[in-house]
Amino acid sequence: MRTYDIIKKKRDGQTLVQNEIQQIIEGYVQGTVPDYQMSAFLMAVFLKGMTDEETFHLTDTMLKSGETVSLAGIKGFTVDKHSTGGVGDKTSLVLGPILAALDLKVAKLSGRGLGHTGGTIDKLESIKGFSCDIPTDKFIEIVNRVGVAIVGQTANLVPADKKMYALRDVTATVDSIPLIAASIMSKKLAIENKGLILDVKVGSGAFMKKLEDARELARLMVSIGKQAGRKVTAVLSNMDEPLGEMIGNSLEVLEAAETLKGKGPSDLTELVKILASEALLISTNRMINQSQASKKVEEVIATGRAFKKLVEMVQAQGGDQTVIENTDRLPISKDIVPLLAENSGFISAIECEEIGLAAMMLGAGRETKEAKIDFKVGLRLLKHVGNKVEKGEILAAVYVNPLLNNEAAIKRLSSAFHISQNPVQPQKLILDIVS
Ligand code: URA
């Protein structure tokens, strides 16, 4: 079939068969389908949608466009977690060690931060000596011995997604449920884990603003994963404000370590406990129930076993584990500027994207791929949605580089806090579980 006819068929709302999807995606990766035809195709999918079957074929074709990562050398139940993105989201740093302490195996490939979102690799590299660039055999050896290792993504993982995502970004076709599901699941299925826990964020700071849309995305991703023979559960969690209190690289490592010691903020603690319990449930084929799973998760935190796994992982990947054992040694700025409330009232929202962009302006993130990060800077949120505040009260502690002019970043932070005159009821953190 001609590319023109595939686009027309989708434009007219008809269902594509597997080889039509393969033809257009493979052609685009090879360069025989130009950007303008792929743009039209993406818009047709955006407007007319896709059946579950079509989305599965799209995912499968995208995943086969590049390398896949075999985890056959790892003994035990390999499990991964994916979050649809957020600000202050350091769950991987906490969850990996908890799962390792539960005798599951976490071989994680993570990314760097760009724009307003932080990246797990940058956070880990704020630990002196820590390397995310280790040979595959050593990576597998660490996962077998410690239970968890986190490395950078290989360049050739799902090239179809890299090309398609760049085009979606400039053609207003990002927020399409089948396109998001295929983009995420192609990258997740390219790493041959047995289990996958999806953390689907809902709210003002997330791709999915509405609960019904997030539920549909979760259902679709779980269905694609199951069709590919993986065990998958999705947790829907609120993202109307950043997760936890800390934003910034060393600050987030500090918060992750505190959470593993049982002294973390309540929202982050609640989320990682649910994600870990769900991972345990899928790994045991639900032979244990939710309350037994949560008890086991609480046990590995209370006994210090989970914290010890973070120390072991840092040591195994060449990092200075003493900064985890004694977090006073983490590189964190001593120059702290208080951010004050401009009015009295109740916090109604803390805009995640604005907070993330302000953190980037402080130096905690990169505007371009080549930019260098300042691990020491960031902020600690002292108030959350629903809290009552008085004018002049401290909303956040901002950790700055005193050599920079931080005025614009601080102004941006201030405008990210919305204060209402009426009491505000915060949303529940865990909104649903789809399995
Ligand atoms: N994250 C992805 O990886 N892809 C999308 O399309 C949206 C969020």
Side-chain angles (χ1 to χ4, degrees):
M1 203 185 229
R2 291 184 308 155
T3 304
Y4 174 94
D5 296 318
I6 298 174
I7 298 169
K8 184 166 177 288
K9 192 170 170 186
K10 184 45 49 196
R11 184 202 69 185
D12 295 342
Q14 294 177 46
T15 302
L16 299 173
V17 296
Q18 183 176 7
N19 68 23
E20 292 162 347
I21 293 173
Q22 279 169 345
Q23 191 188 318
I24 191 161
I25 302 299
E26 286 169 4
Y28 184 56
V29 174
Q30 285 155 14
T32 53
V33 171
D35 277 354
Y36 52 81
Q37 283 191 309
M38 184 48 79
S39 302
F41 175 73
L42 291 168
M43 187 56 82
V45 172
F46 179 91
L47 295 171
K48 299 292 171 168
M50 274 188 154
T51 64
D52 285 11
E53 192 71 16
E54 285 176 294
T55 313
F56 178 74
H57 293 315
L58 175 63
T59 310
D60 191 51
T61 308
M62 287 170 69
L63 115 83
K64 287 176 180 152
S65 69
E67 277 172 26
T68 53
V69 179
S70 164
L71 300 180
I74 297 172
K75 293 177 218 66
F77 190 85
T78 49
V79 62
D80 194 6
K81 183 269 318 180
H82 178 80
S83 150
T84 57
V87 172
D89 189 353
K90 67 285 288 175
T91 45
S92 293
L93 301 183
V94 188
L95 189 64
I98 293 178
L99 296 178
L102 291 165
D103 294 324
L104 304 184
K105 295 289 190 283
V106 183
K108 189 143 188 68
L109 276 72
S110 285
R112 291 182 190 279
L114 188 63
H116 76 281
T117 61
T120 302
I121 297 296
D122 297 321
K123 294 169 198 179
L124 285 168
E125 284 180 352
S126 74
I127 301 166
K128 193 166 141 234
F130 194 97
S131 173
C132 291
D133 183 17
I134 49 182
T136 308
D137 54 344
K138 179 146 187 237
F139 175 53
I140 302 288
E141 183 275 319
I142 298 172
V143 178
N144 274 325
R145 177 166 50 88
V146 177
V148 53
I150 304 181
V151 294
Q153 254 153 33
T154 56
N156 197 27
L157 211 65
V158 196
D161 182 62
K162 285 199 187 82
K163 249 187 123 173
M164 288 166 71
Y165 195 89
L167 202 55
R168 286 168 60 206
D169 215 14
V170 292
T171 55
T173 52
V174 168
D175 43 352
S176 146
I177 290 176
L179 294 179
I180 296 176
S183 164
I184 293 176
M185 291 306 287
S186 60
K187 287 175 286 197
K188 288 292 120 182
L189 298 179
I191 304 157
E192 294 171 355
N193 279 289
K194 296 187 173 124
L196 175 62
I197 304 296
L198 298 161
D199 177 12
V200 179
K201 304 287 188 194
V202 191
S204 59
F207 275 104
M208 297 290 112
K209 311 280 180 222
K210 291 191 281 184
L211 183 57
E212 312 89 85
D213 290 343
R215 237 187 227 123
E216 173 54 15
L217 176 65
R219 182 203 65 73
L220 185 57
M221 292 196 292
V222 169
S223 143
I224 294 168
K226 289 200 169 152
Q227 232 178 308
R230 313 290 174 89
K231 293 184 177 163
V232 192
T233 292
V235 173
L236 272 59
S237 69
N238 178 258
M239 241 294 154
D240 276 341
E241 62 183 322
L243 188 66
E245 294 178 358
M246 306 290 204
I247 294 134
N249 298 280
S250 290
L251 287 162
E252 292 190 41
V253 171
L254 166 64
E255 185 164 83
E258 290 297 304
T259 307
L260 284 166
K261 286 186 204 155
K263 295 189 286 189
S266 58
D267 58 347
L268 176 63
T269 304
E270 183 186 350
L271 180 61
V272 289
K273 280 184 183 170
I274 292 277
L275 296 171
S277 308
E278 289 299 322
L280 202 51
L281 289 175
I282 60 171
S283 75
T284 58
N285 279 328
R286 298 188 186 274
M287 299 291 271
I288 58 171
N289 63 32
Q290 177 72 52
S291 98
Q292 289 165 321
S294 323
K295 209 159 155 250
K296 282 179 188 283
V297 173
E298 274 160 22
E299 236 166 59
V300 294
I301 298 174
T303 56
R305 195 169 141 78
F307 176 72
K308 194 161 162 267
K309 286 290 169 194
L310 176 65
V311 174
E312 287 175 24
M313 178 186 83
V314 168
Q315 189 174 27
Q317 292 193 231
D320 175 5
Q321 83 272 16
T322 65
V323 302
I324 302 296
E325 289 161 340
N326 174 8
T327 45
D328 288 344
R329 301 192 58 223
L330 276 167
I332 293 173
S333 173
K334 301 272 183 288
D335 292 280
I336 304 169
V337 178
L339 183 78
L340 307 179
E342 288 175 0
N343 300 302
S344 299
F346 298 85
I347 306 217
S348 57
I350 305 177
E351 285 179 64
C352 296
E353 192 169 336
E354 285 303 299
I355 295 275
L357 287 170
M360 182 189 78
M361 289 161 75
L362 291 170
R366 50 173 83 76
E367 211 157 339
T368 61
K369 269 196 225 150
E370 297 72 33
K372 225 172 132 31
I373 281 188
D374 183 350
F375 295 132
K376 297 197 193 74
V377 302
L379 65 141
R380 177 177 186 186
L381 299 171
L382 300 174
K383 295 286 175 190
H384 297 277
V385 170
N387 287 170
K388 189 171 188 298
V389 290
E390 298 299 333
K391 184 175 174 181
E393 215 180 323
I394 303 180
L395 298 175
V398 190
Y399 295 73
V400 301
N401 172 354
L403 301 176
L404 293 183
N405 178 352
N406 296 296
E407 216 174 292
I410 291 176
K411 204 155 169 236
R412 191 158 206 162
L413 278 178
S414 181
S415 55
F417 283 81
H418 293 253
I419 297 178
S420 134
Q421 295 316 305
N422 303 318
V424 174
Q425 189 61 39
Q427 279 260 17
K428 277 196 316 188
L429 179 68
I430 306 300
L431 300 166
D432 204 355
I433 295 177
V434 179
S435 59

